[in-house]
Amino acid sequence: MRVIAHLQARADTAYDNTYHHKLRGRIWNALDGTEYDEIHDEDRPKGFTYSNPFPPGDMREGDQRTLLVASPHEELLANVAADLKDDRELNIGEMPFHVDSVNGLATDVGEPGTSGTIETGTGVLVRIPPWRFEEYGIDTDHDEAEFWRPEHTMEPFRNQIENNLDKKHDLFCPDYLPGPSKTDGDLFDGADLIKTFSIPVTVTQGQRETWVLSKWRFDYTVRDDHHRRHLNLALDTGIGERNSLGFGFVNITEKEDQRSGRRERVDA
């Protein structure tokens, strides 16, 4: 489930690639006083993620941008939507917007037999814990979690993504249904790395770190209802870590129902 907000720039503005902390603050403010406010300080996936204001790039006053917020919790999204409607001024760091409209948006990878492509709209954060360095043949001069990079190969990336989605499945899906690691087959048919990059990230107020992120294009074919649930969970919660900072947000960009041969481009 998603909320889609159409934004209008209120001034000529340079695009701020370090928007994450400011936008997260607005969403937590929207959840203040709700049952979701209680998870703010818990060390667990928060159950929401969001896109960047897209398309990225410097803006002139009046330019249009779009923001998506995703979650498996309909009520959480309702609170975010209500906040954006009540206060139409949205300041994301140095980027001032007016919220023109807010609507709900359903997303689904499709019924079993559907093939498609999912792309990461924001960077994916994957960190390899030090107790797995030897298993993956990683030789480092530190004992802190290692940011995933291409030289570490795909195995640790796939394992960390699946382990993370397992944790979200335990939190947000019924107990009696199997998570990704308890079913046969991979989450994705294939993965194309678009790029890796590093950016400064304000983790908490006054704490800024440089993180290594990656952008991907994943192909999938829905095997069964369990696989469909796992892929839709990735759409609702993001993949990888720190999704409540906006990392790991994914979109379906194309899907095809193999039974009907119908192919469609998907914008969100």
Side-chain angles (χ1 to χ4, degrees):
M1 292 173 282
R2 299 185 168 197
V3 162
I4 180 169
H6 294 287
L7 314 175
Q8 183 176 163
R10 293 190 291 109
D12 296 355
T13 310
Y15 197 85
D16 182 1
N17 288 304
T18 61
Y19 63 88
H20 308 83
H21 178 63
K22 296 292 185 182
L23 185 50
R24 175 179 62 176
R26 176 62 185 266
I27 293 176
W28 280 119
N29 286 339
L31 301 177
D32 185 26
T34 73
E35 62 179 295
Y36 304 102
D37 189 27
E38 298 176 359
I39 63 175
H40 180 277
D41 296 324
E42 295 180 3
D43 184 19
R44 47 160 280 187
K46 310 304 185 189
F48 69 83
T49 188
Y50 45 86
S51 73
N52 58 324
F54 63 90
D58 296 348
M59 292 162 277
R60 303 296 299 269
E61 182 179 355
D63 282 357
Q64 303 293 314
R65 292 292 187 272
T66 302
L67 174 68
L68 293 164
V69 183
S71 174
H73 301 298
E74 187 173 354
E75 188 174 344
L76 184 152
L77 292 175
N79 282 293
V80 172
D83 181 79
L84 292 174
K85 289 179 179 178
D86 289 344
D87 181 1
R88 299 279 178 159
E89 186 174 317
L90 175 60
N91 298 312
I92 308 175
E94 300 300 320
M95 299 186 289
F97 294 104
H98 178 268
V99 180
D100 286 346
S101 65
V102 181
N103 294 289
L105 184 68
T107 54
D108 190 336
V109 294
E111 296 183 359
T114 303
S115 296
T117 301
I118 289 175
E119 293 188 20
T120 56
T122 57
V124 177
L125 173 66
V126 167
R127 289 175 292 191
I128 305 166
W131 56 87
R132 304 199 74 166
F133 286 176
E134 183 175 354
E135 174 186 352
Y136 297 135
I138 297 173
D139 183 16
T140 68
D141 56 359
H142 64 79
D143 57 2
E144 299 175 347
E146 173 82 353
F147 291 103
W148 182 88
R149 295 175 172 83
E151 57 266 33
H152 296 140
T153 75
M154 283 299 296
E155 182 183 7
F157 182 87
R158 280 195 298 264
N159 288 344
Q160 292 303 121
I161 291 292
E162 184 175 88
N163 292 344
N164 180 272
L165 198 60
D166 265 336
K167 186 181 300 183
K168 294 166 183 168
H169 194 277
D170 289 344
L171 288 167
F172 308 127
C173 296
D175 294 341
Y176 60 87
L177 295 175
S181 66
K182 294 179 181 176
T183 57
D184 295 330
D186 295 327
L187 190 63
F188 300 112
D189 297 339
D192 292 326
L193 175 63
I194 299 172
K195 67 176 180 179
T196 57
F197 59 103
S198 60
I199 61 170
V201 178
T202 301
V203 182
T204 60
Q205 192 67 39
Q207 180 186 356
R208 182 170 261 206
E209 300 176 356
T210 298
W211 288 0
V212 179
L213 308 167
S214 52
K215 285 195 172 184
W216 297 83
R217 186 178 297 111
F218 301 109
D219 296 323
Y220 69 87
T221 302
V222 182
R223 292 188 300 275
D224 51 32
D225 288 337
H226 293 311
H227 189 213
R228 181 183 188 180
R229 182 178 67 258
H230 301 156
L231 291 169
N232 282 334
L233 180 64
L235 289 174
D236 288 344
T237 62
I239 63 172
E241 305 173 54
R242 305 308 291 264
N243 309 119
S244 64
L245 264 171
F247 296 111
F249 185 87
V250 290
N251 281 317
I252 304 170
T253 55
E254 187 173 306
K255 65 179 178 181
E256 179 178 10
D257 186 337
Q258 301 286 0
R259 297 164 304 174
S260 66
R262 188 177 65 188
R263 179 184 292 271
E264 61 178 312
R265 291 292 302 178
V266 183
D267 295 327

